[in-house]
Amino acid sequence: MERIQKIIARSGLCSRRKAEELIKEGRVQVNGVTVTELGTKASYDDIITVDGKQIVIKEPTYLVMNKPRGVISSVKDEKNRKTVISILPKEFQNLGLYPVGRLDYDTKGVLLLTNDGEFMNRMVGPNSNIEKEYLVRINGIISKERLKSLEDGVVIDGYKTRKCKTYFVSMDKKNNSSLVGIILKEGKNQQVKKMFAAIGYPVKRLTRIRFGEITVDGIPEGGVRLLKPHELKRLYVLSNQTSK
């Protein structure tokens, strides 16, 4: 027996916190009976509905993809462009998977996929403290001092970003560009691009090379592999660490 909000989150419908809200609002039924108490438990054999629609529990699956550029981090796309779900191998096509967070259309690299809503919320929710590392090709030759100015936070979209880490990799004087790294624990929409734009260095190319301790070493572009049990455990540990 599990708490109902956990079962709903496991279905991938929403996070556990959102499921708790649905229960309190009287929108959840178990075997035809409306449930409003958060401590109520059910089994995976019970019929659980949300707003009259039965949820489907699938075996929890956790993948890491080496996302290519030119692919949407979404389940579907209105413009019929390739999505991270549409390029999955056939054995993973019908498991109800969705991306954990997003990578921009023109960004490649580490992307997790799951059908476990609770896991997704732990990885990219507002309280997550998991590091994400990016390699960034920017316009212009940036100094190490200017790069360091990002570390204490910059103002984008009306808020100041959290502290992060940066490092210089190389410069290309011929093409007037620099390759740098940035490690942050946030993941707001186009955050890395906006941070560099805020200090006057537009991003030309972006690659995520690490999510927590997960990399795409050995995975070809567009390829995936299952996360190993010890990798999952480490991600949960990292998500619980206090932000510094």
Side-chain angles (χ1 to χ4, degrees):
M1 301 286 281
E2 294 275 11
R3 293 195 174 198
I4 296 172
Q5 56 264 44
K6 185 173 182 180
I7 296 176
I8 294 174
R10 178 61 60 82
S11 76
L13 177 68
C14 60
S15 68
R16 188 188 297 195
R17 181 175 297 178
K18 178 62 177 178
E20 290 174 348
E21 294 176 6
L22 295 173
I23 292 170
K24 288 189 287 187
E25 292 169 2
R27 297 165 62 183
V28 176
Q29 291 188 322
V30 178
N31 298 326
V33 179
T34 299
V35 176
T36 56
E37 294 293 329
L38 295 182
T40 305
K41 294 184 177 182
S43 76
Y44 285 92
D45 293 327
D46 288 323
I47 298 175
I48 300 173
T49 59
V50 177
D51 293 334
K53 185 175 181 180
Q54 185 175 348
I55 64 171
V56 178
I57 310 296
K58 295 181 180 292
E59 185 70 21
T61 301
Y62 312 91
L63 301 177
V64 55
M65 170 183 282
N66 186 356
K67 177 193 170 297
R69 303 189 201 281
V71 176
I72 300 292
S73 294
S74 180
V75 175
K76 297 180 180 179
D77 180 62
E78 295 176 352
K79 299 179 181 179
N80 293 319
R81 291 171 293 183
K82 289 182 180 179
T83 71
V84 292
I85 303 304
S86 70
I87 66 172
L88 283 173
K90 288 184 178 180
E91 62 264 34
F92 299 119
Q93 285 282 343
N94 298 310
L95 299 181
L97 298 172
Y98 44 81
V100 177
R102 289 179 178 271
L103 287 183
D104 294 340
Y105 180 75
D106 58 350
T107 299
K108 72 175 184 177
V110 181
L111 181 69
L112 304 186
L113 298 108
T114 190
N115 52 9
D116 184 342
E118 182 183 0
F119 172 78
M120 183 180 72
N121 193 52
R122 288 282 294 272
M123 296 301 106
V124 296
N127 297 319
S128 175
N129 285 300
I130 295 180
E131 287 186 342
K132 278 78 73 173
E133 183 174 357
Y134 298 82
L135 281 180
V136 193
R137 174 66 67 180
I138 57 175
N139 273 320
I141 306 300
I142 192 170
S143 66
K144 292 182 180 180
E145 292 73 24
R146 194 75 176 121
L147 186 59
K148 291 291 184 183
S149 68
L150 291 175
E151 297 193 354
D152 289 328
V154 293
V155 176
I156 61 172
D157 296 336
Y159 77 96
K160 188 174 183 179
T161 59
R162 290 161 58 180
K163 289 186 177 182
C164 64
K165 303 172 186 176
T166 64
Y167 56 92
F168 184 85
V169 179
S170 64
M171 69 176 72
D172 183 348
K173 291 185 178 180
K174 181 179 179 181
N175 294 301
N176 189 37
S177 70
S178 305
L179 182 64
V180 299
I182 185 168
I183 303 170
L184 51 142
K185 294 184 177 180
E186 293 180 287
K188 297 184 182 296
N189 184 40
Q190 297 191 341
Q191 180 168 341
V192 174
K193 293 178 180 178
K194 291 177 180 178
M195 289 176 69
F196 279 94
I199 63 170
Y201 293 89
V203 171
K204 297 178 67 176
R205 193 165 62 249
L206 186 61
T207 303
R208 184 156 71 187
I209 61 173
R210 180 170 63 86
F211 187 104
E213 296 173 355
I214 306 300
T215 70
V216 289
D217 292 348
I219 304 176
E221 283 197 20
V224 297
R225 71 167 175 83
L226 290 164
L227 289 181
K228 300 172 183 176
H230 76 272
E231 291 176 321
L232 281 172
K233 290 179 181 178
R234 282 295 296 160
L235 284 170
Y236 276 108
V237 169
L238 293 170
S239 72
N240 283 327
Q241 289 184 348
T242 303
S243 180
K244 296 181 180 179

